[in-house]
């Protein structure tokens, strides 16, 4: 399991700039950034190798920030690379509530980030399918 | 004086100044004697050593303290009831800041008197028993619906008790029954007109000739806009549940101030800070004493409404004092869709949700002529747990609680902690962008 950094923002221009500038100025590398738009407000989901520092930097700047536990599964970066994991989740009867992906090395390694009701079961299903769940992205 | 009712009010309406004052003095004496039968005023009179029979002139009323909204709450449910319970025919309540209502009682004579006052308002603007009247106001504990209803019936009008909402049916009824007089809030009248225009229909074709508009403040521009859209004459109505409801003051055909029925209410205007009488022409808080209510006399009631008084005979010939347009409220009450809302009611809901911070702003706008309330509130520091689901559930629950408290649906904006400006001293809690 892994800590995704989440930021609550009022839905108005300038919020994304503020977050990426703060992280960029602190030399924090973003692996992925996903935006959940809830209308009047939104939630940024940030995947980084340094979640603790990212959280601290954003909190110090007065942003509304929290950790969110997710499963980060490494998959192959190729067409059909997600099929093995998807089938494993299906066999386990496991629901995914939120998910997104990102590439680690083009043509080689990618990550699939999953939020679900039972993260442990998701990780063991992945493991049974021969896929690694990452605890660190360093 | 007896508690009898004059159907047309003619014996009061055209009185000379002297006749009116002498009627008021008699009615005041009778009202004070009646008030002494209620536990509340009987205690008060004893405390301040006041005897109703000592009143010799209208000025003597100033020997009595004001009655406030808070007194009404303290007297709840029935400490101001001045008649045996079996004489009560009706009660109305209005919502209070703390959720505790205030109750107003009426005997049969009181209900009749109220109907007479209301009928006089309608007759004053030219309505007759040949008119067909559609009442688009809410019935029930709110006084606007039943007040106009009884007045229109007293005048002998054909009454359609449509109630609020269901715009399509309202238009159908007006058209099918050739309605000539309506009662609505100005914003609802505008909403109906806009709906018709959207559908390529012309409100002028309805043939309405008179509109009684009240229950919320509105501008002269909106009145004129409504008059030109519908081709009717729109008249301002003023009332408050503590003084029965509608039928306290109403414009005549000259639309130059609202005629205040001085035979039924004694009016004073005071500076809301010093509580001293205002100078002629000055804005002050309306203070009223009932002169013709038996079940529940109210003495020197502070209405919180700010206005000016216009003295002298109106071109229509009536000599009762007139009220200028309301300037506002001496406290912070908001009128949203005709409903009284206190910021403190909303604050109360916010305060009982620990996940919210204390900082909020009430944002008022108009959407298709209807008032829209948006409660913009900061979350508490540390309340965000990263879950979108939690945010959704909390927001929906907050909306439900607000609806329960104020009676209509408000929009909720969730804000980051610290995002609202922190002002020094009293925070500006209300941003009103309704015209």
């Amino acid at each position: 399991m892994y800590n995704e950094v989440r930021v609550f923002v009022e839905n108005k221009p300038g919020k994304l700039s503020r977050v990426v500038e703060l992280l960029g100025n602190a030399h924090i590398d973003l692996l992925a950034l996903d935006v959940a738009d809830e209308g009047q407000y939104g939630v940024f989901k940030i995947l980084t190798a340094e979640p603790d520092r990212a959280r601290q930097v954003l909190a110090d700047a007065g942003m509304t920030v929290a950790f969110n536990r997710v499963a980060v599964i490494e998959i192959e970066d190729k067409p059909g690379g997600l099929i093995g994991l998807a089938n494993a989740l299906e066999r386990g009867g496991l629901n995914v509530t939120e998910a997104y992906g990102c590439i680690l090395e083009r043509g080689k390694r990618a990550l699939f980030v999953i939020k679900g009701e039972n993260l442990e079961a998701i990780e063991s299903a992945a493991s049974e399918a021969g896929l690694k769940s990452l605890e660190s992205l360093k | 004086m007896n508690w009898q009712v004059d159907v047309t009010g003619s014996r009061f309406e055209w009185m000379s100044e002297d006749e009116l004052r002498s009627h008021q003095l008699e009615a005041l004496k009778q009202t004070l004697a009646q008030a002494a039968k209620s536990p509340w005023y009987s205690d008060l009179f004893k405390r301040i050593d006041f005897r109703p029979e000592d009143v010799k002139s209208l000025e003597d009323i100033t020997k009595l303290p004001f009655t406030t909204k808070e007194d009404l709450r303290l007297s709840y449910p029935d400490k101001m009831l001045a008649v045996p319970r079996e004489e009560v025919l009706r009660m109305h309540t209005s919502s209070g800041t703390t959720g505790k209502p205030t109750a107003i009682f009426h005997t049969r004579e009181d209900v009749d008197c109220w109907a007479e006052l209301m009928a006089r308002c309608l007759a004053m603007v030219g309505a007759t028993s040949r008119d067909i009247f559609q009442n688009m106001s809410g019935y029930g504990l709110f006084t606007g619906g039943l007040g106009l209803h009884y007045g229109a019936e007293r005048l002998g009008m054909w009454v359609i008790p449509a109630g609020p909402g269901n715009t399509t049916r309202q238009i159908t009824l007006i058209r099918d029954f050739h309605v000539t007089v309506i009662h609505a809030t100005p914003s609802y009248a505008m909403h109906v007109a806009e709906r018709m225009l959207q559908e390529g229909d012309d409100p002028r074709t309805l043939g309405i000739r008179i509109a009684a508009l009240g229950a919320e403040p509105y501008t002269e521009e909106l009145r004129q806009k409504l008059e030109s859209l519908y081709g009717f004459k729109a008249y301002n109505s003023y009332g408050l549940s503590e003084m029965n409801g509608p039928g306290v003051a109403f414009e005549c055909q000259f639309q130059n101030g609202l005629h205040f029925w001085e035979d039924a209410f004694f009016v004073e205007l005071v500076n809301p800070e010093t509580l001293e009488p205002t100078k002629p022409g000055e804005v002050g808080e309306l203070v009223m004493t009932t002169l013709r209510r038996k079940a529940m006399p109210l003495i020197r009631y502070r209405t919180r409404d700010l206005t000016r008084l216009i003295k002298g005979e109106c071109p229509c010939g009536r000599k009762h004092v007139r009220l200028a347009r309301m300037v506002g409220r001496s406290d912070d009450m908001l009128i949203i869709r005709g409903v009284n809302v206190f910021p403190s009611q909303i604050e109360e809901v916010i305060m009982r949700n620990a996940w919210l911070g204390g900082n909020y702003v009430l944002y008022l706008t108009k959407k298709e002529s209807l008032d829209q309330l948006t409660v913009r509130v900061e979350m508490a520091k540390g309340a965000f747990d990263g879950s979108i689901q939690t945010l959704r559930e909390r927001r929906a629950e907050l909306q439900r609680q607000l609806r329960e408290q104020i009676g209509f649906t408000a929009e909720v904006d969730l804000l980051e902690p610290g995002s609202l400006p922190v002002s020094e001293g009293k925070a500006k809690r209300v941003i009103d962008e309704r015209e």
Side-chain angles (χ1 to χ4, degrees), chain B residues 291-415:
Chain B
L291 294 177
R292 292 176 64 193
R293 196 163 67 201
K294 191 179 175 190
M296 185 174 172
L298 273 179
I299 298 161
R300 306 193 84 200
Y301 181 69
R302 287 187 62 184
T303 65
R304 303 274 168 187
D305 284 323
L306 299 176
T307 186
R308 283 181 305 108
L309 294 180
I310 306 169
K311 300 231 164 125
E313 191 174 324
C314 178
C316 77
R318 290 176 185 84
K319 296 175 186 72
H320 295 248
V321 71
R322 279 168 286 155
L323 305 183
R325 220 168 230 292
M326 290 299 146
V327 178
R329 304 282 302 186
S330 56
D331 56 11
D332 54 2
M333 188 183 86
L334 303 167
I335 301 181
I336 306 172
R337 300 186 190 180
V339 178
N340 296 355
V341 178
F342 290 84
S344 56
Q345 286 177 289
I346 290 163
E347 189 166 315
E348 194 187 299
V349 173
I350 289 171
M351 292 307 162
R352 66 173 180 245
N353 284 279
W355 63 279
L356 293 172
N359 215 356
Y360 67 93
V361 163
L362 308 183
Y363 196 67
L364 289 161
T365 51
K366 282 230 188 242
K367 200 173 172 186
E368 292 174 56
S369 292
L370 284 179
D371 294 336
Q372 191 75 38
L373 169 66
T374 305
V375 178
R376 292 173 59 77
V377 58
E378 287 181 11
M379 293 198 293
K381 248 188 152 64
F384 176 56
D385 65 2
S387 162
I388 294 166
Q389 191 58 32
T390 306
L391 288 169
R392 286 182 192 151
E393 285 167 4
R394 283 174 170 175
R395 185 175 176 278
E397 169 62 16
L398 177 60
Q399 244 182 332
R400 192 194 62 72
Q401 289 177 18
L402 285 169
R403 196 188 155 77
E404 201 172 63
Q405 178 85 327
I406 58 177
F408 60 89
T409 304
E411 276 301 306
V412 168
D413 284 357
L414 297 182
L415 308 179

Side-chain angles (χ1 to χ4, degrees), chain A residues 6-10 12 15 36 38 40-41 43 45 62-68 98, chain B residues 376 379-382 384-389 391-392 395 412-417 419:
Chain A
R6 291 197 159 190
V7 190
F8 173 90
V9 288
E10 200 189 342
K12 61 182 185 189
K15 291 294 183 184
E38 293 286 301
Q40 175 263 322
Y41 60 84
V43 174
K45 309 172 191 176
M63 308 291 299
T64 305
V65 59
F67 278 155
N68 179 53
E98 296 166 57
Chain B
R376 292 173 59 77
M379 293 198 293
K381 248 188 152 64
F384 176 56
D385 65 2
S387 162
I388 294 166
Q389 191 58 32
L391 288 169
R392 286 182 192 151
R395 185 175 176 278
V412 168
D413 284 357
L414 297 182
L415 308 179
E416 301 161 52
S419 57

Side-chain angles (χ1 to χ4, degrees), chain A residues 9-76:
Chain A
V9 288
E10 200 189 342
N11 200 346
K12 61 182 185 189
K15 291 294 183 184
L16 183 59
S17 300
R18 174 111 176 103
V19 168
V20 296
E21 278 167 13
L22 283 168
L23 296 175
N25 292 341
H27 305 287
I28 293 170
D29 194 20
L30 301 185
L31 289 164
L33 191 151
D34 191 35
V35 180
D37 177 15
E38 293 286 301
Q40 175 263 322
Y41 60 84
V43 174
F44 296 152
K45 309 172 191 176
I46 297 166
L47 192 69
T48 165
E50 299 178 82
D52 292 315
R53 206 156 72 80
R55 177 181 178 158
Q56 197 57 49
V57 165
L58 294 171
D60 287 349
M63 308 291 299
T64 305
V65 59
F67 278 155
N68 179 53
R69 299 293 275 169
V70 290
V72 178
I73 318 285
E74 187 178 319
I75 57 175
E76 276 187 79

Side-chain angles (χ1 to χ4, degrees), chain A residues 66-122:
Chain A
F67 278 155
N68 179 53
R69 299 293 275 169
V70 290
V72 178
I73 318 285
E74 187 178 319
I75 57 175
E76 276 187 79
D77 183 34
K78 64 168 190 190
L82 194 53
I83 293 172
L85 176 58
N87 288 344
L89 294 174
E90 188 192 345
R91 277 196 302 278
L94 296 166
N95 266 327
V96 173
T97 53
E98 296 166 57
Y100 55 92
C102 68
I103 294 163
L104 279 182
E105 283 179 75
R106 183 88 209 212
K108 291 180 181 163
R109 299 196 297 149
L111 296 179
F112 196 63
V113 181
I114 303 174
K115 168 94 183 155
E117 276 143 22
N118 189 344
L119 291 179
E120 272 169 12
I122 287 169

Side-chain angles (χ1 to χ4, degrees), chain B residues 127-350:
Chain B
T128 73
S129 60
R130 289 180 298 280
D131 279 299
I132 298 168
F133 173 68
Q134 186 153 318
N135 193 7
M136 305 179 174
S137 181
Y139 281 70
L141 290 170
F142 173 61
T143 55
L146 285 168
L148 264 288
H149 182 101
Y150 273 63
E153 282 193 351
R154 169 60 61 92
L155 198 58
M157 299 170 92
W158 170 339
V159 178
I160 305 176
N166 199 341
T167 306
T168 307
R169 190 179 62 189
Q170 301 275 10
I171 296 166
T172 305
L173 287 171
I174 293 170
R175 181 155 277 149
D176 292 350
F177 293 92
H178 307 288
V179 168
T180 50
V181 182
I182 62 164
H183 172 229
T185 61
S187 58
Y188 190 66
M190 188 49 123
H191 178 74
V192 171
E194 281 174 354
R195 168 74 69 83
M196 290 185 74
L197 293 169
Q198 268 166 25
E199 290 167 1
D201 209 345
D202 182 359
R204 288 181 156 270
T205 62
L206 294 175
I208 302 168
R209 57 185 206 93
I210 294 170
L213 303 178
E216 65 189 19
Y218 63 110
T219 59
E220 187 57 31
E221 290 70 36
L222 180 58
R223 183 232 294 266
Q224 284 168 12
K225 192 169 179 199
L226 285 167
E227 288 188 332
S228 89
L229 280 172
Y230 282 95
F232 57 40
K233 285 259 260 179
Y235 297 99
N236 292 332
S237 166
Y238 173 76
L240 60 164
S241 61
E242 295 86 345
M243 297 290 137
N244 301 343
V248 175
F250 210 85
E251 281 181 320
C252 71
Q253 285 169 312
F254 290 92
Q255 295 177 318
N256 181 22
L258 292 85
H259 289 269
F260 186 94
W261 296 139
E262 284 191 272
D263 53 288
F265 307 98
F266 182 76
V267 62
E268 299 169 79
L269 204 65
V270 302
N271 180 312
E273 302 291 324
T274 65
L275 300 179
E276 292 298 317
T278 54
K279 297 182 191 75
E282 222 175 48
V283 169
E285 181 181 329
L286 266 180
V287 171
M288 287 187 225
T289 300
T290 61
L291 294 177
R292 292 176 64 193
R293 196 163 67 201
K294 191 179 175 190
M296 185 174 172
L298 273 179
I299 298 161
R300 306 193 84 200
Y301 181 69
R302 287 187 62 184
T303 65
R304 303 274 168 187
D305 284 323
L306 299 176
T307 186
R308 283 181 305 108
L309 294 180
I310 306 169
K311 300 231 164 125
E313 191 174 324
C314 178
C316 77
R318 290 176 185 84
K319 296 175 186 72
H320 295 248
V321 71
R322 279 168 286 155
L323 305 183
R325 220 168 230 292
M326 290 299 146
V327 178
R329 304 282 302 186
S330 56
D331 56 11
D332 54 2
M333 188 183 86
L334 303 167
I335 301 181
I336 306 172
R337 300 186 190 180
V339 178
N340 296 355
V341 178
F342 290 84
S344 56
Q345 286 177 289
I346 290 163
E347 189 166 315
E348 194 187 299
V349 173
I350 289 171

